Amino acid sequence: MIRLPLRILLVEDLETDAVLIKRKIAKIVEAPEIEVVDNLEDCKHMLINFVPDVIISDYNLPTCTGMEVLELALDIDSSVTFIFLTGTINDEELAAHTILAGGSGYILKKHMDVLDEKLEPLLKKVVFTMVAKKDIREQIRNNKIAVNQIYNYLDSLKADNKEQRENIGKIRESMGQFKTGDNDRKA
């Protein structure tokens, strides 16, 4: 049993699968904090404000693909662990592509009955990394939230003239000096 609390973002559109996945996670994580979303907009909101330790995502979603979720996640936090849990990946080439694109692993939904056994080693790896950073973990999370919210605000600004656009660029550049390797955002 993993005793360290884990923040998990579950990207899943089927409520029955989400309930089952949450039950399986509860078998291996003592205190999971799980948020469920099914689209990119909600996913972005959770990545900015919830800052998960791990993302578990279906591949086929109603409004996007798991690869789009992965790209968004890596854009916001390049160090986040991303696990595909899907019935779609049935060929080795697509599975390899997900890993090469930055996914940390994948599990087929046909193994849902033993999901806890398949997921446990992947989550233990996340915990191992978290324990190594234990002293600064919450500070890093709070800093990521603040930086993400600032970037989100800057993205929402509508620069009316060249000077304003240049100033926004300078702010982004200055903020880049304060980023950690854990949170590389594209400017």
Side-chain angles (χ1 to χ4, degrees), residues 40 59 63-74 82 84:
L40 283 176
Y59 192 85
T63 61
C64 61
T65 68
M67 289 301 289
E68 290 171 309
V69 174
L70 174 62
E71 289 170 10
L72 174 67
L74 293 178
F82 195 100
F84 283 101

Side-chain angles (χ1 to χ4, degrees), residues 165-178:
R165 286 190 300 274
E166 287 174 359
N167 287 337
I168 290 171
K170 289 176 184 175
I171 292 169
R172 286 179 170 281
E173 188 177 313
S174 294
M175 284 182 57
Q177 297 172 13
F178 298 105

Side-chain angles (χ1 to χ4, degrees), residues 158-165:
K158 304 290 184 226
D160 293 333
N161 63 43
K162 182 179 177 184
E163 184 179 353
Q164 289 173 330
R165 286 190 300 274

Side-chain angles (χ1 to χ4, degrees), residues 1-2 17 23 89 94 124 143 147 153 171 178 186:
M1 174 75 64
I2 297 172
D17 283 356
R23 281 188 194 143
I89 302 177
L94 186 54
K124 282 185 175 181
N143 289 343
V147 169
Y153 174 74
I171 292 169
F178 298 105
K186 296 177 183 170

Side-chain angles (χ1 to χ4, degrees), residues 40-80:
L40 283 176
E41 185 178 323
D42 292 342
C43 186
K44 181 178 181 179
H45 175 78
M46 295 309 290
L47 288 166
I48 290 170
N49 297 296
F50 178 63
V51 186
D53 299 309
V54 63
I55 300 168
I56 300 172
S57 179
D58 194 355
Y59 192 85
N60 282 326
L61 298 158
T63 61
C64 61
T65 68
M67 289 301 289
E68 290 171 309
V69 174
L70 174 62
E71 289 170 10
L72 174 67
L74 293 178
D75 184 40
I76 292 174
D77 184 352
S78 62
S79 68
V80 70

